[in-house]
């Protein structure tokens, strides 16, 4: 009986170990020498900010300006005192996806590619303007990410789901603020080396936010559905990637950097728990 009891005990322990390990996602590419992605400083946001889809850092008072999906309101969240939140309504509800602050003007991306600009006028009023993305009835396009590249002097829009990209590439399009013109293609991100890094033959990369790291001069691209943070050079050439723990980065839709290179990521609530802002300190002060 002793032998059978020992055998039963061993089998039970083995089953328990397998059961415990089954639900845990193993991340092979999550080690960054610059950012401790597994241990961010977490700021919980109120219910009213459950769906931050884009944000921009404001260094003058350590805050972020943010927008919500399908809500024409500009928010200001003070990172040192999140109980204080300012807001300004700028328009009707649309599928707002990303936010860029350039000098004193805000540029807001709509999923169709349209861009709405905002600027504070007298008495804290908002002055608005719109730039309509060229339509093509035969081509479908969807965008969620936009950033400003000072070397190009353009806003850059990354396709989330654009016809023709399929599982091979991500097209980057441009908008020149001065001439108010769009550039159909600035560069393309080859998805093949990203898939290979993940041990896959092919994949569909769906960018949800992007920003240039001011310290490293690299482009950081969030892909919330893929749970990835992809890093390329400014021409979109792949350099490396990090897999994001879904328990921490459940719906990462916004990204920004401080001048010192600290990484800020916003998480939508995604139906469970609270939305969050994650701050990941730059462990290296230089390149």
């Amino acid at each position: 009986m002793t032998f059978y009891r020992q055998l039963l005990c061993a089998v039970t322990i083995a089953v328990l170990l397998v059961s415990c390990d089954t639900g845990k996602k193993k991340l092979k590419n999550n080690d960054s020498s610059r950012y401790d992605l597994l241990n961010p400083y977490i700021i919980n946001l109120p219910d009213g900010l459950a769906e931050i889809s884009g944000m921009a850092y404001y260094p003058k008072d350590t805050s972020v300006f943010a927008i919500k999906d399908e809500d024409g309101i500009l928010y200001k969240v003070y990172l040192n005192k999140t109980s204080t939140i300012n807001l300004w309504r700028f328009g009707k509800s649309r599928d707002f996806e990303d936010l860029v602050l350039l000098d004193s003007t805000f540029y807001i991306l709509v999923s169709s590619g349209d861009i709405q600009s905002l600027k504070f006028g007298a008495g804290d009023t908002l002055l608005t303007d719109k730039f309509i993305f060229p339509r093509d009835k035969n081509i479908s396009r969807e965008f969620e990410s936009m950033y400003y590249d000072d070397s190009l002097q353009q806003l850059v829009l990354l396709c989330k789901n654009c016809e023709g990209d399929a599982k091979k590439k991500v097209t980057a399009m441009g908008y020149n603020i001065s001439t108010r013109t769009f550039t159909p293609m600035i560069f393309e991100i080859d998805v093949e080396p990203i898939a290979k890094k993940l041990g896959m033959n092919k994949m569909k990369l769906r960018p949800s936010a992007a920003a240039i790291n001011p310290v490293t001069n690299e482009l950081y691209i969030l892909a919330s559905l893929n749970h990835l943070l992809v890093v390329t050079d400014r021409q979109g050439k792949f350099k490396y990637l990090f897999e994001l723990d879904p328990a921490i980065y459940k719906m990462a839709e916004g990204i920004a950097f401080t001048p010192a290179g600290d990484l800020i990521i916003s998480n939508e609530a995604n139906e469970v728990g609270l939305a969050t802002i994650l701050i990941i300190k730059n462990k290296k002060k230089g390149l």
Side-chain angles (χ1 to χ4, degrees), residues 53-65:
S53 56
M55 64 177 177
Y57 182 68
Y58 189 61
K60 289 185 178 180
D61 54 15
T62 317
S63 64
V64 292
F65 283 95

Side-chain angles (χ1 to χ4, degrees), residues 8-70:
L8 178 62
C9 182
V11 171
T12 302
I13 292 172
V15 170
L16 287 173
L17 287 174
V18 171
S19 298
C20 290
D21 188 61
T22 300
K24 187 176 181 181
K25 182 179 176 63
K26 294 182 179 180
L27 305 176
K28 296 181 180 179
N29 304 286
N30 66 350
D31 184 23
S32 168
S33 61
R34 187 173 294 274
Y35 300 107
D36 187 357
L37 295 169
L38 292 176
N39 294 286
Y41 176 73
I42 302 175
I43 298 174
N44 291 319
L45 297 173
D47 290 338
L49 281 173
E51 294 187 4
I52 287 184
S53 56
M55 64 177 177
Y57 182 68
Y58 189 61
K60 289 185 178 180
D61 54 15
T62 317
S63 64
V64 292
F65 283 95
I67 54 167
K68 283 172 55 180
D69 192 9
E70 299 182 3

Side-chain angles (χ1 to χ4, degrees), residues 10 38 45 48 61 79 97 108 112 172 179 200 202 206 208 231 236 247 257:
L38 292 176
L45 297 173
D61 54 15
L79 300 180
E97 295 294 352
I108 298 173
S112 62
T179 62
M200 303 166 64
K202 57 184 178 179
R206 299 178 183 272
S208 56
V231 182
F257 287 96

Side-chain angles (χ1 to χ4, degrees), residues 43-283:
I43 298 174
N44 291 319
L45 297 173
D47 290 338
L49 281 173
E51 294 187 4
I52 287 184
S53 56
M55 64 177 177
Y57 182 68
Y58 189 61
K60 289 185 178 180
D61 54 15
T62 317
S63 64
V64 292
F65 283 95
I67 54 167
K68 283 172 55 180
D69 192 9
E70 299 182 3
D71 193 351
I73 298 176
L74 178 68
Y75 295 87
K76 187 177 186 182
V77 182
Y78 297 87
L79 300 180
N80 294 330
K81 46 177 181 177
T82 52
S83 59
T84 302
I85 297 177
N86 302 130
L87 59 91
W88 302 264
R89 180 167 289 280
F90 60 83
K92 298 179 180 179
S93 296
R94 294 189 70 184
D95 195 4
F96 300 113
E97 295 294 352
D98 213 345
L99 175 69
V100 170
L101 174 57
L102 180 60
D103 297 326
S104 59
T105 303
F106 300 93
Y107 296 92
I108 298 173
L109 174 68
V110 182
S111 62
S112 62
D114 294 350
I115 298 172
Q116 184 161 347
S117 69
L118 310 174
K119 191 171 184 176
F120 284 104
D124 225 18
T125 58
L126 282 175
L127 308 175
T128 65
D129 197 359
K130 292 180 181 179
F131 314 104
I132 306 300
F133 188 87
R135 300 289 191 267
D136 188 330
K137 294 180 180 179
N138 300 317
I139 299 176
S140 62
R141 296 187 179 99
E142 181 185 4
F143 303 89
E144 279 195 2
S145 53
M146 179 178 72
Y147 64 95
Y148 182 72
D149 189 324
D150 55 359
S151 67
L152 298 172
Q153 297 290 297
Q154 292 193 69
L155 293 168
V156 180
L157 292 67
L158 297 181
C159 281
K160 177 188 178 184
N161 191 19
C162 288
E163 207 168 309
D165 282 1
K167 295 183 178 181
K168 297 180 179 180
K169 61 184 179 180
V170 172
T171 300
M173 304 181 185
Y175 177 75
N176 189 305
I177 297 169
S178 301
T179 62
R180 298 171 68 98
T181 56
F182 281 94
T183 303
M185 198 274 285
I186 296 178
F187 60 80
E188 294 176 340
I189 300 171
D190 184 3
V191 178
E192 184 179 358
I194 301 172
K196 284 186 176 180
K197 186 71 175 178
L198 295 168
M200 303 166 64
N201 292 326
K202 57 184 178 179
M203 64 172 291
K204 175 69 175 176
L205 183 67
R206 299 178 183 272
S208 56
I212 292 177
N213 188 323
V215 174
T216 67
N217 201 35
E218 296 167 321
L219 176 61
Y220 277 57
I221 303 167
L222 272 179
S224 62
L225 293 177
N226 304 101
H227 292 295
L228 293 177
L229 179 61
V230 177
V231 182
T232 74
D233 64 15
R234 287 207 188 198
Q235 289 74 46
K237 184 178 180 181
F238 173 69
K239 298 184 74 171
Y240 42 92
L241 64 80
F242 306 107
E243 292 182 84
L244 300 176
D245 185 348
I248 303 172
Y249 304 88
K250 52 185 176 180
M251 188 59 74
E253 295 284 338
I255 187 171
F257 287 96
T258 70
D262 295 338
L263 176 60
I264 305 173
I265 293 176
S266 64
N267 259 321
E268 291 188 1
N270 198 27
E271 299 181 359
V272 180
L274 297 172
T276 57
I277 289 178
L278 311 177
I279 302 176
I280 307 103
K281 291 290 185 180
N282 177 16
K283 294 186 290 185

